[in-house]
Coordinates of all heavy atoms in Angstrom, one line a residue:
S148 N -126.8 13.7 10.7 CA -127.5 14.6 9.7 C -127.4 13.9 8.3 O -126.5 13.0 8.0 CB -126.7 15.9 9.6 OG -127.2 16.7 8.6
G149 N -128.2 14.3 7.4 CA -128.3 13.6 6.0 C -127.5 14.6 5.1 O -127.3 15.8 5.3
F150 N -126.9 13.9 4.1 CA -126.2 14.6 3.0 C -126.7 14.1 1.7 O -127.1 12.9 1.5 CB -124.7 14.3 3.1 CG -124.1 15.0 4.3 CD1 -124.1 14.5 5.6 CD2 -123.4 16.2 4.0 CE1 -123.5 15.2 6.5 CE2 -122.8 16.9 5.1 CZ -122.8 16.4 6.4
Y151 N -126.8 15.0 0.6 CA -127.1 14.7 -0.7 C -126.1 15.4 -1.6 O -126.0 16.5 -1.5 CB -128.5 15.1 -1.0 CG -129.0 14.7 -2.4 CD1 -129.2 13.4 -2.8 CD2 -129.0 15.8 -3.4 CE1 -129.5 13.2 -4.1 CE2 -129.4 15.5 -4.7 CZ -129.7 14.2 -5.1 OH -130.0 13.8 -6.3
Q152 N -125.4 14.6 -2.4 CA -124.4 15.1 -3.3 C -123.4 15.9 -2.6 O -122.9 17.0 -3.1 CB -125.0 15.9 -4.5 CG -125.9 15.1 -5.3 CD -126.5 15.9 -6.5 OE1 -126.5 17.0 -6.5 NE2 -127.0 15.1 -7.5
G153 N -123.0 15.5 -1.4 CA -121.9 16.1 -0.7 C -122.3 17.3 0.1 O -121.6 18.0 0.7
K154 N -123.6 17.7 0.1 CA -124.1 18.9 0.7 C -125.1 18.5 1.8 O -126.0 17.6 1.6 CB -124.7 19.9 -0.3 CG -123.7 20.3 -1.3 CD -124.4 21.2 -2.3 CE -123.4 21.6 -3.4 NZ -124.0 22.3 -4.4
P155 N -125.1 19.2 2.9 CA -126.0 18.8 4.0 C -127.4 19.1 3.6 O -127.7 20.1 3.0 CB -125.6 19.6 5.2 CG -124.7 20.7 4.7 CD -124.2 20.2 3.4
T156 N -128.4 18.3 4.1 CA -129.8 18.4 3.7 C -130.5 19.3 4.7 O -131.7 19.7 4.4 CB -130.5 17.0 3.5 OG1 -130.4 16.5 4.8 CG2 -130.0 16.2 2.4
G157 N -129.9 19.4 5.9 CA -130.6 20.2 6.9 C -131.4 19.3 7.9 O -131.9 19.8 8.9
E158 N -131.5 18.0 7.5 CA -132.2 17.2 8.4 C -131.3 16.5 9.5 O -130.3 16.1 9.1 CB -132.8 16.0 7.5 CG -133.8 16.4 6.5 CD -134.3 15.2 5.7 OE1 -134.2 14.1 6.2 OE2 -134.6 15.5 4.5
I159 N -131.7 16.8 10.7 CA -130.9 16.3 11.9 C -131.8 15.4 12.7 O -132.9 15.8 13.0 CB -130.3 17.5 12.6 CG1 -129.4 18.3 11.8 CG2 -129.6 17.0 13.9 CD1 -129.0 19.5 12.4
T160 N -131.3 14.3 13.1 CA -132.1 13.5 14.0 C -131.2 12.8 15.1 O -130.0 12.7 14.9 CB -132.8 12.3 13.2 OG1 -133.7 11.6 14.1 CG2 -131.8 11.3 12.6
D161 N -131.7 12.5 16.2 CA -131.1 11.9 17.3 C -131.0 10.3 17.1 O -131.9 9.8 16.4 CB -131.9 12.1 18.6 CG -131.9 13.6 19.1 OD1 -131.1 14.3 18.7 OD2 -132.9 13.9 19.7
F162 N -129.9 9.8 17.6 CA -129.8 8.3 17.5 C -129.3 7.8 18.8 O -128.6 8.4 19.5 CB -129.0 7.9 16.3 CG -127.5 8.1 16.5 CD1 -126.7 7.2 17.1 CD2 -126.8 9.4 16.0 CE1 -125.3 7.4 17.3 CE2 -125.6 9.6 16.2 CZ -124.8 8.6 16.8
F163 N -129.6 6.5 19.0 CA -129.2 5.8 20.2 C -128.8 4.4 19.7 O -129.5 3.6 19.1 CB -130.4 5.6 21.1 CG -131.1 6.8 21.5 CD1 -132.1 7.4 20.7 CD2 -130.8 7.6 22.7 CE1 -132.7 8.7 21.0 CE2 -131.4 8.8 22.9 CZ -132.4 9.3 22.1
D164 N -127.5 4.0 19.9 CA -126.8 2.9 19.4 C -126.4 2.0 20.6 O -125.7 2.5 21.5 CB -125.6 3.4 18.6 CG -125.0 2.2 17.8 OD1 -125.4 1.1 18.0 OD2 -123.9 2.4 17.2
Y165 N -126.9 0.8 20.7 CA -126.5 -0.2 21.6 C -125.9 -1.3 21.0 O -126.4 -2.0 20.1 CB -127.8 -0.7 22.4 CG -128.6 0.5 22.9 CD1 -129.7 1.0 22.2 CD2 -128.4 1.0 24.1 CE1 -130.4 2.0 22.7 CE2 -129.1 2.0 24.7 CZ -130.2 2.6 24.0 OH -130.9 3.6 24.4
Y166 N -124.7 -1.7 21.5 CA -123.8 -2.7 20.8 C -123.4 -3.8 21.9 O -122.9 -3.4 23.0 CB -122.6 -2.2 20.2 CG -121.8 -3.2 19.6 CD1 -122.1 -3.8 18.4 CD2 -120.5 -3.5 20.2 CE1 -121.3 -4.8 17.8 CE2 -119.7 -4.5 19.6 CZ -120.0 -5.0 18.4 OH -119.2 -6.0 17.9
A167 N -123.5 -5.1 21.6 CA -123.1 -6.2 22.4 C -122.2 -7.1 21.6 O -122.8 -7.7 20.7 CB -124.2 -6.9 23.1
P168 N -120.9 -7.1 21.9 CA -120.0 -8.0 21.0 C -120.4 -9.4 21.1 O -121.1 -9.8 22.1 CB -118.7 -7.8 21.6 CG -118.7 -6.7 22.6 CD -120.1 -6.5 22.9
P169 N -120.2 -10.3 20.0 CA -119.5 -9.8 18.9 C -120.4 -9.4 17.7 O -120.0 -8.7 16.8 CB -118.8 -11.1 18.4 CG -119.8 -12.2 18.9 CD -120.4 -11.7 20.2
D170 N -121.7 -9.6 17.8 CA -122.5 -9.3 16.6 C -124.0 -8.9 16.8 O -124.8 -9.1 16.0 CB -122.5 -10.5 15.7 CG -123.1 -11.7 16.3 OD1 -123.4 -11.6 17.5 OD2 -123.2 -12.7 15.7
K171 N -124.2 -8.1 17.9 CA -125.5 -7.6 18.2 C -125.5 -6.2 18.3 O -124.8 -5.7 19.1 CB -126.1 -8.3 19.6 CG -126.2 -9.8 19.5 CD -126.8 -10.3 20.8 CE -126.9 -11.9 20.6 NZ -126.1 -12.5 21.7
E172 N -126.4 -5.6 17.6 CA -126.6 -4.2 17.6 C -128.0 -3.6 17.4 O -128.7 -4.2 16.7 CB -125.6 -3.5 16.6 CG -125.5 -2.0 16.7 CD -124.4 -1.4 15.9 OE1 -123.8 -2.1 15.0 OE2 -124.1 -0.2 16.0
R173 N -128.4 -2.6 18.1 CA -129.7 -1.9 17.9 C -129.4 -0.5 17.9 O -128.8 0.2 18.7 CB -130.5 -2.3 19.1 CG -131.9 -1.6 19.1 CD -132.8 -1.9 20.3 NE -134.0 -1.3 20.3 CZ -135.2 -1.8 20.0 NH1 -135.2 -3.0 19.7 NH2 -136.3 -1.0 20.0
V174 N -129.9 0.1 16.8 CA -129.8 1.6 16.5 C -131.1 2.1 16.4 O -132.0 1.7 15.6 CB -129.0 1.8 15.2 CG1 -128.8 3.3 15.1 CG2 -127.7 1.2 15.2
E175 N -131.6 3.1 17.3 CA -132.8 3.7 17.4 C -132.7 5.2 16.9 O -131.8 5.9 17.2 CB -133.4 3.7 18.7 CG -133.6 2.3 19.3 CD -133.9 2.2 20.8 OE1 -133.7 3.3 21.4 OE2 -134.3 1.2 21.3
F176 N -133.7 5.7 16.1 CA -133.6 7.0 15.5 C -134.8 7.7 16.0 O -135.9 7.3 16.1 CB -133.6 6.9 14.0 CG -132.4 6.2 13.4 CD1 -132.5 4.9 13.1 CD2 -131.2 6.9 13.3 CE1 -131.4 4.2 12.6 CE2 -130.1 6.2 12.7 CZ -130.3 4.8 12.4
G177 N -134.6 9.1 16.1 CA -135.7 10.1 16.5 C -135.8 10.3 18.1 O -135.3 9.4 18.9
K178 N -136.3 11.5 18.5 CA -136.3 11.8 19.9 C -137.2 10.8 20.6 O -136.9 10.4 21.8 CB -136.9 13.2 20.1 CG -135.9 14.2 19.8 CD -136.5 15.6 20.2 CE -135.6 16.7 19.8 NZ -134.4 16.8 20.6
K179 N -138.2 10.3 20.0 CA -139.1 9.2 20.6 C -138.8 7.8 20.1 O -139.6 6.9 20.4 CB -140.6 9.5 20.3 CG -141.0 10.9 20.9 CD -142.4 11.2 20.6 CE -142.8 12.5 21.3 NZ -144.3 12.8 21.1
R180 N -137.7 7.8 19.4 CA -137.2 6.4 19.0 C -138.1 5.7 18.1 O -138.5 4.5 18.3 CB -136.7 5.5 20.1 CG -135.7 6.2 21.0 CD -135.4 5.5 22.2 NE -134.4 6.3 23.0 CZ -133.7 5.8 24.0 NH1 -133.7 4.5 24.2 NH2 -132.9 6.6 24.6
Q181 N -138.7 6.4 17.1 CA -139.7 5.9 16.2 C -139.3 4.8 15.3 O -140.1 3.9 15.0 CB -140.3 7.0 15.4 CG -140.9 8.2 16.1 CD -139.9 9.3 16.3 OE1 -138.7 9.1 16.5 NE2 -140.3 10.5 16.2
V182 N -138.1 4.7 15.0 CA -137.5 3.8 14.0 C -136.3 3.1 14.7 O -135.5 3.7 15.3 CB -137.0 4.3 12.8 CG1 -136.5 3.3 11.8 CG2 -138.3 5.0 12.1
A183 N -136.3 1.7 14.6 CA -135.1 1.0 15.1 C -134.6 0.0 14.2 O -135.5 -0.6 13.4 CB -135.5 0.2 16.5
Q184 N -133.3 -0.2 14.0 CA -132.7 -1.2 13.2 C -132.0 -2.1 14.1 O -131.3 -1.7 15.0 CB -131.7 -0.6 12.2 CG -132.4 0.2 11.2 CD -131.4 0.8 10.2 OE1 -130.3 0.9 10.4 NE2 -132.0 1.1 9.0
I185 N -132.3 -3.5 14.0 CA -131.7 -4.5 14.8 C -130.9 -5.5 14.0 O -131.4 -5.9 13.0 CB -132.9 -5.2 15.6 CG1 -133.7 -4.3 16.4 CG2 -132.3 -6.3 16.5 CD1 -135.0 -4.9 17.0
F186 N -129.6 -5.7 14.4 CA -128.8 -6.5 13.8 C -128.3 -7.7 14.7 O -127.8 -7.4 15.8 CB -127.5 -5.8 13.2 CG -127.9 -4.7 12.4 CD1 -128.0 -3.4 12.9 CD2 -128.1 -4.9 11.0 CE1 -128.4 -2.4 12.0 CE2 -128.4 -3.8 10.2 CZ -128.6 -2.5 10.7
V187 N -128.5 -9.0 14.3 CA -128.0 -10.1 15.1 C -127.3 -11.0 14.0 O -127.9 -11.5 13.1 CB -129.2 -10.8 15.7 CG1 -128.6 -12.0 16.5 CG2 -129.8 -9.9 16.7
G188 N -126.0 -11.2 14.2 CA -125.3 -12.0 13.3 C -125.3 -11.3 12.0 O -124.9 -10.2 11.8
N189 N -125.7 -12.1 11.0 CA -125.7 -11.5 9.6 C -127.2 -11.3 9.1 O -127.4 -11.2 7.9 CB -125.0 -12.5 8.6 CG -123.6 -12.7 8.7 OD1 -122.9 -11.7 9.3 ND2 -123.1 -13.8 8.4
E190 N -128.1 -11.0 10.1 CA -129.4 -10.7 9.7 C -129.7 -9.2 10.3 O -129.1 -8.9 11.3 CB -130.4 -11.7 10.3 CG -130.2 -13.1 9.8 CD -131.1 -14.1 10.4 OE1 -132.2 -13.7 10.8 OE2 -130.8 -15.2 10.5
G191 N -130.6 -8.6 9.7 CA -131.1 -7.3 10.1 C -132.6 -7.0 9.9 O -133.1 -7.4 8.9
W192 N -133.1 -6.2 10.8 CA -134.6 -5.9 10.7 C -134.8 -4.4 11.1 O -133.9 -3.8 11.7 CB -135.4 -6.7 11.7 CG -135.2 -8.1 11.6 CD1 -136.0 -9.0 10.8 CD2 -134.3 -9.0 12.3 NE1 -135.6 -10.3 10.9 CE2 -134.5 -10.4 11.8 CE3 -133.2 -8.8 13.2 CZ2 -133.8 -11.4 12.3 CZ3 -132.5 -9.9 13.6 CH2 -132.8 -11.1 13.2
E193 N -135.9 -3.9 10.5 CA -136.2 -2.6 10.9 C -137.6 -2.7 11.6 O -138.5 -3.3 11.1 CB -136.4 -1.7 9.6 CG -136.7 -0.3 9.9 CD -136.7 0.6 8.7 OE1 -137.5 0.4 7.8 OE2 -135.8 1.4 8.7
V194 N -137.7 -1.9 12.7 CA -138.9 -1.9 13.4 C -139.5 -0.5 13.4 O -138.8 0.4 13.9 CB -138.7 -2.3 14.9 CG1 -140.0 -2.3 15.7 CG2 -138.1 -3.8 14.9
T195 N -140.7 -0.3 13.0 CA -141.4 1.0 13.0 C -142.8 0.8 13.5 O -143.2 -0.4 14.0 CB -141.5 1.5 11.5 OG1 -142.4 0.6 10.8 CG2 -140.1 1.6 10.9

C-alpha cells in the first residue's frame, strides 16, 4: 500500500518478488503484473 505524509493513500496493489542470491531480483506489480523492476548486480531496469 502507498503512504503519503505518514497516512495511507488507499492504493493497494499486488506484488510478486523473485530473488536469486547473491544479487538478482525481479519485482512485479499489479494483478496482471503490468510493471516489473529487474535488478542484476548494481544495475536496475523497469519494464512496462
Side-chain angles (χ1 to χ4, degrees):
S148 178
F150 288 82
Y151 179 72
Q152 295 182 344
K154 298 177 183 170
T156 61
E158 297 176 24
I159 298 173
T160 188
D161 296 331
F162 72 90
F163 306 85
D164 186 1
Y165 306 94
Y166 178 73
D170 61 356
K171 294 181 181 123
E172 186 168 13
R173 178 183 175 104
V174 185
E175 300 169 346
F176 299 97
K178 286 191 183 287
K179 296 183 180 179
R180 304 175 186 200
Q181 301 95 322
V182 178
Q184 292 181 339
I185 301 169
F186 303 95
V187 177
N189 292 333
E190 298 181 28
W192 303 272
E193 183 174 67
V194 180
T195 65

